[in-house]
Amino acid sequence: MNKIRVRFAPSPTGFLHIGGLRTALYNYLFARKEQGTFILRIEDTDQSRIVPGAIENLITSLHNLGLDFDEGPGKEGDFGPYIQSQRLNLYQEQAQRLLEKGFAYPCFCSSETLTNMRKEQQEKGEFVKYDRRCLALSQSEIRQKMANGEKYVIRLKMPDKHKFRFYDLIRGEVEMDSSQSDDQVLLKSDGFPTYHLAAVVDDHFMQISHIIRGEEWLSSTPKHIYLYECLGWEPPKWVHLPLILNPDRTKLSKRMNDVSVDSYLLKGYLKEAIINFVALLGWHSADERELFTLDELCEVFSLERVNKANAIFDLAKLDWMNGQYL
Ligand code: GLU
């Protein structure tokens, strides 16, 4: 059996919040239960969105809650570095491979051209996506533009009319149409990858066995599966966690509410109660028990019992659990 290796891969765009903690916790519990490896990877490829202090906050918060990672920044294993901005050459190499194999193409369109394209498509009520005008460029035109120093990005050429089928450990068989996928930018003109390329390259080279992440990434999975195919790599297993909703069924957002883990600790909630509460936000034990220590969770957790339905964030429950631990 292959070794279990999972990762929590936050972008340092804010402090650790309840949604992020739930993803981190399920990855952690699964790794511990299966004697696997829990990895922290910092996805900082969108440099404009980095919040100062966020990386330190993520690491400290995980540590304070008892969720220590086995590999990650400051704990270099065999697969580091674990901060994406320190791995740029790896992504550039793979983007180049995709170009050479004809799975990707350079796009010289300016942001102004793209804005106009989007506007026109919206006005016509069309699906907004890149219209592939740069795909029509000849090799000599491309060489000429590059020699002139024109800026370009590298886009993935998504297959037309392709049905992507994959198995998600929570949702079962999933089918998605490629017509819903844009020709994703893989490498930006500044040499930084986008999330999609970086995540796939890292998950491959870090030998990740299961991708456990929030459901908001489900729609990106066809692009990722296609990238694995183009690069000739074996994809990992997919696990998309249902959303966490506010009691009014709006999405629990790190921007909307004050849901940072720190704010709960500051309000005096015990870490044991927070962990227990978050564990049950989308998972249940076979006997529907409500109170667990972290060690007990490590013993009983299983992905099979992650709920298919969205979880509702019920503060009264956290208050009750906190009372049990006081
Ligand atoms: N960097 C992504 C995030 O911020 C991670 C998505 C994934 O796990 O693939 O949620």
Side-chain angles (χ1 to χ4, degrees):
M1 204 181 82
N2 280 341
K3 189 149 169 25
I4 300 291
R5 290 176 56 84
V6 291
R7 82 309 192 266
F8 173 48
S11 301
T13 52
F15 289 1
L16 185 66
H17 59 99
I18 294 291
L21 173 59
R22 203 256 317 242
T23 305
L25 180 61
Y26 285 12
N27 273 285
Y28 176 87
L29 295 175
F30 181 61
R32 291 292 167 267
K33 174 77 190 292
E34 305 294 332
Q35 277 107 49
T37 305
F38 173 55
I39 296 152
L40 175 69
R41 182 171 78 221
I42 301 294
E43 302 205 324
D44 61 343
T45 56
D46 190 349
Q47 297 271 305
S48 64
R49 293 181 58 226
I50 294 178
V51 168
I55 300 184
E56 293 73 16
N57 174 272
L58 287 161
I59 294 176
T60 315
S61 299
L62 290 176
H63 177 70
N64 289 344
L65 292 163
L67 307 183
D68 285 315
F69 49 86
D70 305 306
E71 294 172 25
K75 231 184 209 176
E76 303 300 310
D78 295 337
F79 303 89
Y82 296 88
I83 299 186
Q84 289 187 327
S85 58
Q86 297 171 11
R87 302 168 62 84
L88 297 184
N89 55 343
L90 214 65
Y91 314 126
Q92 289 161 358
E93 241 170 70
Q94 299 307 321
Q96 197 55 41
R97 265 186 76 207
L98 290 165
L99 270 184
E100 281 159 17
K101 289 172 164 223
F103 291 123
Y105 61 96
C107 166
F108 297 87
C109 291
S110 66
S111 54
E112 199 190 340
T113 307
L114 295 173
T115 310
N116 290 337
M117 192 186 298
R118 200 171 308 127
K119 231 174 91 196
E120 276 171 33
Q121 289 170 336
Q122 275 164 347
E123 278 165 12
K124 287 192 213 149
E126 290 172 0
F127 188 73
V128 175
K129 64 200 276 189
Y130 180 61
D131 70 3
R132 296 193 154 165
R133 62 185 71 175
C134 283
L135 194 54
L137 294 173
S138 67
Q139 284 306 318
S140 66
E141 283 171 314
I142 291 173
R143 269 195 301 274
Q144 189 58 51
K145 282 177 178 290
M146 287 185 180
N148 293 346
E150 278 188 46
K151 284 197 162 169
Y152 65 96
V153 301
I154 294 177
R155 286 184 187 271
L156 178 65
K157 183 178 174 298
M158 282 300 279
D160 301 310
K161 297 202 183 71
H162 185 82
K163 288 230 182 296
F164 287 97
R165 290 191 185 85
F166 58 95
Y167 188 79
D168 182 284
L169 259 57
I170 296 175
R171 315 184 129 235
E173 296 291 342
V174 181
E175 191 182 283
M176 282 185 190
D177 205 307
S178 67
S179 62
Q180 292 158 4
S181 298
D182 201 359
D183 277 358
Q184 180 65 51
V185 173
L186 299 175
L187 202 71
K188 296 179 270 188
S189 58
D190 60 2
F192 271 76
T194 56
Y195 153 72
H196 305 279
L197 177 66
V200 167
V201 169
D202 284 349
D203 287 335
H204 171 72
F205 284 113
M206 293 182 180
Q207 296 179 14
I208 300 301
S209 62
H210 294 67
I211 296 192
I212 307 174
R213 62 182 172 196
E215 194 181 271
E216 63 271 32
W217 300 104
L218 187 69
S219 59
S220 300
T221 307
K223 288 177 200 172
H224 298 181
I225 290 179
Y226 188 58
L227 276 172
Y228 278 97
E229 209 177 296
C230 296
L231 291 162
W233 297 338
E234 182 76 27
K237 296 208 165 34
W238 307 101
V239 187
H240 288 93
L241 305 173
L243 302 175
I244 303 177
L245 303 176
N246 292 309
D248 65 1
R249 304 201 76 83
T250 53
K251 193 182 164 220
L252 192 71
S253 153
K254 50 184 160 179
R255 279 166 287 275
M256 250 171 53
N257 293 324
D258 189 11
V259 288
S260 82
V261 171
D262 276 355
S263 73
Y264 287 97
L265 288 168
L266 278 171
K267 280 181 211 151
Y269 288 103
L270 300 174
K271 66 174 195 201
E272 290 82 359
I274 296 176
I275 290 284
N276 193 143
F277 172 69
V278 170
L280 269 68
L281 268 180
W283 172 86
H284 61 278
S285 70
D287 57 3
E288 301 285 339
R289 202 174 127 188
E290 298 254 17
L291 294 171
F292 297 91
T293 63
L294 183 56
D295 284 346
E296 287 167 343
L297 286 167
C298 289
E299 270 172 44
V300 297
F301 184 80
S302 95
L303 286 175
E304 282 83 60
R305 281 198 305 277
V306 171
N307 304 338
K308 287 189 172 54
N310 292 330
I312 305 287
F313 184 91
D314 177 3
L315 198 60
K317 194 133 215 175
L318 174 58
D319 286 333
W320 175 78
M321 285 175 184
N322 203 47
Q324 304 301 309
Y325 285 104
L326 278 173

